[in-house]
Amino acid sequence: MNFNLRIYQQELAKLATVYKLKSIDLHIFDIIPSTNQKIWSLIDLENPLPIAVISLQQTAGKGQWGRTWQSSLGGLYLSVAINLDLALDYSFHLTMTTSWGIANILRIYNIPVSLKWPNDLILKNRKLGGIKIETHTSNKKIKYAVIGVGINWVNSVPELAINLQSYFQKNQQQSITCLEQLTAITISGILSGYQHYLEIGSQQMLANYNKLLTSIGQKVTVNNCPGIVTGVTDKGELKVRLQSSGASTEISLSLGQISLGYLNQ
Ligand code: BTN
């Protein structure tokens, strides 16, 4: 398997015109430990941002919560580094903007991707991909960020996951035809998502993000008390309405306090 740079460039050029994107250098590897790790070393070499790195395989892909992201041939393993100037308190804005940007652009390609809080990409109630963001901060501001994205393309996946190829086969449509195109689309989703956030502001972006959340309406239990997820706050906390003996209160929970499962098929 190899990566055809020309196909990628043609696809990106089309999208860059539509979304008015900055130019971005792509560094391509066959096999490396992690694209996130690699891009940090490129930032250290003072490459102008944004830059992107993909690898056809990773031997130590970084997942959320210190997990390893299985990265066999056939998946998209991409990192994009961008400059920004975002208060550390609002680091969630980058999470919502990135996940919304990717889900939104895939929906334009007729792939009904939604989001599981905080940033899993979901298709048909299964995990299509994940996002791992790392940041560099100075004076309580995020100055640049590495946005790592794994999307299941034709790679084999665990039970609760799905790849795009099997979705296309079941639905008899193939709106994205190769990994090069998926790479260009995902990069465009990340960059245009952040651009859109700067244009419309955080409240409107939060509303967009909440609309794509599968978690809304999900039943949860908090300290033995039944509740329903009602949304996500601007700081990225999950809002849950607790119901007990006629009374109802709304609480906000941070990531360490609750984790959501996948919805039933
Ligand atoms: C998750 O656990 O849901 C997030 C997974 C993110 C994996 C991607 S693959 C490309 C990039 N490089 C890494 O080392 N991790 C991210």
Side-chain angles (χ1 to χ4, degrees):
M1 193 168 184
N2 50 32
F3 191 88
N4 187 321
L5 187 59
R6 190 189 286 248
I7 296 181
Y8 158 79
Q9 283 168 336
Q10 283 169 351
E11 204 57 45
L12 189 73
K14 284 189 242 161
L15 290 162
T17 312
V18 176
Y19 293 103
K20 300 187 179 68
L21 303 178
K22 284 186 185 172
S23 75
I24 177 163
D25 272 348
L26 176 67
H27 302 250
I28 304 163
F29 297 87
D30 284 329
I31 182 160
I32 51 177
S34 149
T35 55
N36 271 29
Q37 189 192 79
K38 175 58 83 180
I39 211 166
W40 280 116
S41 63
L42 296 172
I43 293 173
D44 291 344
L45 293 174
E46 291 177 8
N47 279 291
L49 302 186
I51 51 170
V53 168
I54 68 149
S55 183
L56 299 181
Q57 288 179 76
Q58 299 182 118
T59 53
K62 298 191 216 174
Q64 294 180 85
W65 331 123
R67 292 187 203 128
T68 304
W69 185 256
Q70 294 305 321
S71 309
S72 58
L73 215 52
L76 172 69
Y77 311 112
L78 166 75
S79 297
V80 174
I82 58 170
N83 281 121
L84 62 169
D85 191 36
L86 180 67
L88 193 51
D89 274 357
Y90 289 106
S91 58
F92 174 69
H93 290 191
L94 187 58
T95 304
M96 75 172 172
T97 296
T98 304
S99 43
W100 177 83
I102 299 172
N104 179 61
I105 202 163
L106 290 172
R107 291 170 81 91
I108 293 171
Y109 284 81
N110 263 323
I111 306 163
V113 174
S114 48
L115 302 170
K116 178 163 98 68
W117 178 74
N119 58 1
D120 280 351
L121 301 167
I122 301 297
L123 181 60
K124 296 277 163 199
N125 295 331
R126 290 170 184 266
K127 184 155 172 168
L128 174 70
I131 300 170
K132 164 96 180 156
I133 297 180
E134 297 169 329
T135 54
H136 172 89
T137 57
S138 147
N139 295 328
K140 296 196 175 161
K141 286 201 153 178
I142 301 176
K143 290 296 185 183
Y144 41 97
V146 165
I147 298 162
V149 183
I151 295 184
N152 300 318
W153 171 240
V154 297
N155 53 306
S156 54
V157 294
E159 202 192 337
L160 291 174
I162 186 171
N163 69 25
L164 275 176
Q165 203 52 51
S166 65
Y167 173 77
F168 287 145
Q169 266 160 15
K170 270 205 189 115
N171 291 275
Q172 295 179 346
Q173 62 110 345
Q174 177 123 23
S175 52
I176 300 176
T177 55
C178 58
L179 186 65
E180 291 81 352
Q181 190 186 11
L182 179 63
T183 306
I185 290 168
T186 308
I187 291 177
S188 304
I190 295 169
L191 297 180
S192 64
Y194 191 66
Q195 223 162 261
H196 198 51
Y197 160 78
L198 295 177
E199 286 158 15
I200 64 173
S202 60
Q203 287 313 309
Q204 190 55 51
M205 182 52 84
L206 184 63
N208 291 348
Y209 170 87
N210 271 309
K211 272 190 211 146
L212 293 190
L213 274 185
T214 54
S215 325
I216 306 250
Q218 197 172 337
K219 288 184 181 154
V220 291
T221 307
V222 183
N223 298 331
N224 294 322
C225 186
I228 286 196
V229 175
T230 55
V232 170
T233 71
D234 154 77
K235 294 266 177 85
E237 291 172 328
L238 194 71
K239 288 194 284 184
V240 173
R241 179 166 298 284
L242 294 178
Q243 234 108 26
S244 64
S245 51
S248 144
T249 27
E250 192 161 73
I251 57 164
S252 299
L253 300 168
S254 60
L255 261 173
Q257 294 176 292
I258 189 167
S259 98
L260 299 176
Y262 292 91
L263 300 173
N264 293 331
Q265 299 296 301

